[in-house]
Amino acid sequence: MTTPVCTGASRAASATAAGHHAHTPYASFSSYVRARGPVLLRTARSLTANPCDAEDLLQTALAKTYVAWERIEDHRALDGYVRRALLNTRTSQWRKRKVDEFACEELPEQGGVAAPDPAEQQSLHDAMWRAVLKLPDRQRAMVVLRYYEDLSEAQTAEVLGVSIGTVKSAVSRALGKLREDPELTPVR
């Protein structure tokens, strides 16, 4: 699904089509935005980490293009013009960004929980898989689909060709067996 860009130009084009305005000077701009908007949005997304920021960046670049529309002589080079506007706008935003870090005499305390030990995590992962492999085939398949593949009960039932109730009861029994597994005792 694409996000509409430059809604003002789109409204102007719609109004022209409906006969509300005798003449819209930039009807070609509106059709350019409709045709090239998704491609330009992908370019904007490559310049920012946040999709919402990319949409804002594209809106700003298109507004600059709209203002300069009459001065652009070669409309075959519009993509390059808009890309340059995107890049210049992003560079300006980067230069103007607010600095939220301040020098201080004391280092702040390191709050929070220490990162878990990767060796312990791997050990737990291995123990969990050994416990899952001890389950009967049908229960193991349901546990893997529900919790490792993150399927819903209905999706799991559909994949395995069973009822949702069967999935619920089999997964419940499997989880009971996993809770009783002696290798997973430290996890509780």
Side-chain angles (χ1 to χ4, degrees), residues 101-158:
E101 297 178 15
F102 302 97
C104 60
E105 292 182 24
E106 296 179 28
L107 291 175
E109 291 184 28
Q110 294 295 327
V113 181
D117 180 19
E120 287 181 28
Q121 285 184 315
Q122 186 62 45
S123 174
L124 175 61
H125 181 267
D126 293 344
M128 181 58 79
W129 268 113
R130 282 192 301 273
V132 168
L133 289 173
K134 292 177 191 174
L135 294 172
D137 292 343
R138 188 172 179 178
Q139 288 179 358
R140 182 174 54 242
M142 290 182 193
V143 166
V144 167
L145 290 173
R146 282 286 291 129
Y147 298 106
Y148 285 94
E149 296 295 324
D150 201 27
L151 297 182
S152 68
E153 291 170 340
Q155 291 169 323
T156 301
E158 184 178 331

Side-chain angles (χ1 to χ4, degrees), residues 69-89:
W69 194 253
E70 289 181 332
R71 292 177 290 160
I72 300 172
E73 294 178 12
D74 186 6
H75 281 220
R76 292 174 299 181
L78 283 171
D79 281 356
Y81 184 91
V82 176
R83 279 192 207 102
R84 176 48 63 185
L86 284 166
L87 188 59
N88 291 346
T89 303

Side-chain angles (χ1 to χ4, degrees), residues 157-176:
E158 184 178 331
V159 167
L160 296 175
V162 297
S163 70
I164 294 174
T166 301
V167 170
K168 287 180 181 182
S169 62
V171 167
S172 176
R173 283 191 304 276
L175 292 177

